[in-house]
Amino acid sequence: MKRLGVNIDHVATIRNARGGTHPNPFNVARQAINFGADSITVHLREDRRHINDNDLKKLTKSKIPINLEIACNNKMMKIALKNKPKFVCLVPEKRKELTTEGGLNLVKYHKKIMLIVRKLNKKKIRTSLFINPTIKDVILSKKINSNCIEIHTGKISNRIKMKKNYAKEFKIIKKCAKFASKLGMEVHAGHGMDYNTTKVLSKINEIKEFNIGHFIIGESISTGLKNVIKKINKLINK
Ligand code: PXP
């Protein structure tokens, strides 16, 4: 069974624009689950531009399955261990980027990431590494002992949106997904996905979880969260 994780960061972005309490990310998270999402993803950025520590506390204290995205450092690891989300996805983070621009540098930060993964795994938190679609990164993810990988789908998503040929990107994502699955890691996909991208990537059977944020929240403004989730669920063959 394939799963859909809805990233609600941008509900918090809209709330933060006015510094008040509306729209409420917790209420939207609950609604998303009621409408058919399997989990809720939130990225606690170091600059707290989306959700904040209170949001995380409230979300992880509830019964909602939370997938927490964090940068690879001790401070964020301690926050994860304290709040105990069901899932953690380690991501690279640059202060000035608009969004997560690429996958982790597993060569450079191998030791650091391995240590964090070990501590999270020990607490029975499912671990995932946000990686670029390369065989080398799949092998390193296995060596690091991560439970899952999340393939950065930004590049293929852009090409699909620009109506450019995406065969090369699709082929490598498929190859990585198959290989990671063979190695015993669950495969997820995330970044830049919309209806078309989701339709293309759902053809890869090994991708078991789709984490989608900006498009779902943006599209909900005109067609409603319930309709968007329903449509995406259909596309991923749930
Ligand atoms: N997965 C990961 C690991 C991410 O960092 C992001 C962006 O925060 C997403 C999925 C969702 O990307 P988008 O908002 O483009 O759907």
Side-chain angles (χ1 to χ4, degrees):
M1 185 80 161
K2 300 190 177 192
R3 301 185 305 270
L4 171 65
V6 174
N7 181 317
I8 58 159
D9 285 341
H10 294 299
V11 177
T13 310
I14 298 171
R15 176 197 61 190
N16 298 349
R18 286 287 171 97
T21 56
H22 187 271
N24 183 323
F26 183 76
N27 291 346
V28 177
R30 267 204 314 217
Q31 280 179 329
I33 295 290
N34 287 339
F35 295 153
D38 297 282
S39 58
I40 296 298
T41 296
V42 286
H43 185 173
L44 188 73
R45 279 190 172 263
E46 287 176 295
D47 62 8
R48 306 297 193 267
R49 72 172 79 150
H50 311 304
I51 67 145
N52 58 40
D53 301 69
N54 279 338
D55 294 323
L56 179 66
K57 199 170 160 188
K58 198 165 174 196
L59 286 163
T60 48
K61 276 197 166 171
S62 74
K63 290 202 170 97
I64 301 168
I66 299 299
N67 175 34
L68 174 65
E69 293 176 5
I70 51 165
C72 305
N73 60 53
N74 280 339
K75 207 168 155 193
M76 297 313 292
M77 182 191 71
K78 279 182 190 158
I79 292 175
L81 290 171
K82 191 173 151 209
N83 285 279
K84 289 198 202 81
K86 213 165 172 193
F87 320 120
V88 164
C89 180
L90 297 177
V91 300
E93 195 174 308
K94 290 188 210 131
R95 189 59 70 89
K96 284 192 179 146
E97 66 189 354
L98 281 178
T99 180
T100 320
E101 285 162 356
L104 291 161
N105 186 337
L106 297 183
V107 176
K108 193 168 173 190
Y109 301 111
H110 184 267
K111 264 194 181 163
K112 198 172 171 186
I113 296 172
M114 194 145 132
L115 215 95
I116 297 174
V117 165
R118 192 181 300 152
K119 292 211 172 165
L120 294 169
N121 280 348
K122 236 181 168 178
K123 290 278 174 194
K124 306 239 177 309
I125 296 171
R126 184 194 75 179
T127 48
S128 180
L129 302 180
F130 195 36
I131 62 166
N132 292 318
T134 71
I135 290 294
K136 190 170 99 189
D137 282 339
V138 172
I139 293 169
L140 284 169
S141 300
K142 183 65 190 171
K143 281 191 180 153
I144 286 169
N145 222 2
S146 180
N147 304 130
C148 318
I149 55 161
E150 179 161 326
I151 297 176
H152 194 296
T153 53
K155 201 169 170 190
I156 190 168
S157 296
N158 277 341
R159 292 195 73 82
I160 294 169
K161 283 174 199 167
M162 291 189 294
K163 301 203 181 333
K164 286 188 176 166
N165 188 306
Y166 57 84
K168 197 173 112 203
E169 286 73 21
F170 184 81
K171 200 172 155 193
I172 183 66
I173 290 175
K174 192 172 171 178
K175 194 173 165 189
C176 288
K178 278 189 179 298
F179 186 50
S181 186
K182 246 189 193 165
L183 293 177
M185 290 181 289
E186 192 175 88
V187 181
H188 308 157
H191 211 277
M193 276 192 270
D194 60 9
Y195 290 140
N196 287 334
T197 324
T198 305
K199 195 173 167 186
V200 169
L201 288 163
S202 66
K203 288 181 191 139
I204 302 173
N205 275 331
E206 286 77 11
I207 299 178
K208 299 297 179 198
E209 186 177 301
F210 294 82
N211 288 311
I212 310 174
H214 190 270
F215 178 78
I216 290 182
I217 302 306
E219 190 67 6
S220 297
I221 296 167
S222 44
T223 59
L225 187 61
K226 189 177 183 177
N227 289 326
V228 184
I229 290 176
K230 215 167 138 187
K231 200 163 165 181
I232 299 254
N233 271 340
K234 244 189 193 166
L235 289 171
I236 65 173
N237 309 313
K238 266 177 75 179

